[in-house]
Amino acid sequence: MTVGIVVSRADSASRAVGERLLALRDWERADDDASAARYRCAGFELREFEDWHLELDGVASAFDDPSFVVFASRHAGSSGPLLTAHFTGNFGAAEHGGADRDLAEACPNAHRAVVSAFAEHAPEEYDVGMECTHHGPTAVGAPSMFVELGSGEEQWADESAAEAVARAILDLRGVDAHAERTVVAFGGGHYAPRPTRIVETTDWAVGHVGADWCLDDLGDPREHRDVIAQAFAESDATRAVVDGEKPRLRAVIDDLGHEVVSETWLRETTGVDLALATDLEAELGSVADGLRFGDAAREGAPGEYVVVDHPDGLWADAHSVDADAALAAASEHALAYTTEENGNRVAGEVAFPDADAHDAYVAALATLLDEKYDAVERDADAVRVTDESFDPEKARARGVPEGPKFGRLASGHTVEVDGEEVRPEDVASERAEAYPRGARETVVRHEGER
């Protein structure tokens, strides 16, 4: 597995990154001709070219069967100190290399890795990010991406930043080009904030990104569905995130047999077997409607699981004691649970990996109630709570006037009325409540689509 690295002598930032690459490893030089110096070290092959990167169509053929190709390049713009990476291609007319409405093969897994490496190596004053797909070359001959140092003359000559880019590239040794989980992205700005968040906070990689201006260049997606299809194919993706409504685009994606998913869906399915996620959404409802996956879903995919009518009353009472702990109990023990109020309230149905996990969940909620009630007991059917509390009617019957003495009795203090003591227990009533645990049903999983 070899990574091909393209250095352009026409690009000062590329030369600077190339110099740091050569300084950071022991390379063997093996020139084929005077116009293209070639260097090799474990996992990498670096070649220098006189031409600009954008003009290097078919450049993968200059390497010895690379897994993917990295263009070490400059980034030009008004974005300040920035390390960035992106794929190549043109959703519309080719104004900066490549062909019209043509996209190069992406390497989403390597891209995700290099963005992560940027975060580790970038000098403090540099931002880290990614860009949309916006220039050539479009015929590379292997998966590829641009890895860039920006955004002006000062940064292109910054040796510490050039070294950060070089180290990020060298961290790609042994990294596969493609990821098991990849989406393409449409809409949003040039610097792709939503795709960047996805790459940084989920286990999903992002392939081609068509920003709003790219889609404007594309025109009506119904007339250029081949470009939309190519974005999926060259990214090795079956799902997309779409920023904004874009009904025509969404219709084309659906017609192509792909699925539009939300950033929330990507975040929720992180670490979750996708066949299990498909099963649970079919059984309990969609992530869009409030389904959330618990820790147990990230520990493996059971062949069967238990679905329970959620003990809403028990949970609500526990939530009144400690809201965060009540939510955490569902996340800790459940495979998946339905929610309301933007995920802040558990209600409806819950799936557990087995009956023991359901029991542990009920026990966790019952433990929270220990702080509120005099007695909390669990049996096979319910959690039963009992509590003695101040009863105003009993106090009135003992002649206690409403006012401060009511308050003292409610606070657990004895009061005197007409020369007689009235103790808190004299005017207390026992409250008993039984919270059903929820009926269980065992569900045998089927393999859903990944």
Side-chain angles (χ1 to χ4, degrees), residues 10-58:
D11 178 347
S12 62
S14 185
R15 294 197 308 271
V17 174
E19 290 170 3
R20 299 315 305 153
L21 284 164
L22 294 176
L24 289 167
R25 290 289 187 276
D26 292 327
W27 299 78
E28 177 185 349
R29 178 163 180 163
D31 294 355
D32 291 337
D33 55 63
S35 65
R38 182 197 296 262
Y39 301 87
R40 292 191 180 95
C41 72
F44 298 95
E45 184 178 348
L46 184 154
R47 297 205 68 171
E48 297 177 352
F49 299 87
E50 296 296 336
D51 295 331
W52 288 97
H53 298 100
L54 306 187
E55 302 169 358
L56 295 174
D57 284 324

Side-chain angles (χ1 to χ4, degrees), residues 133-153:
T133 300
H134 64 287
H135 62 63
T138 53
V140 178
S144 66
M145 64 178 166
F146 271 57
V147 178
E148 300 183 341
L149 167 58
S151 301
E153 294 282 356

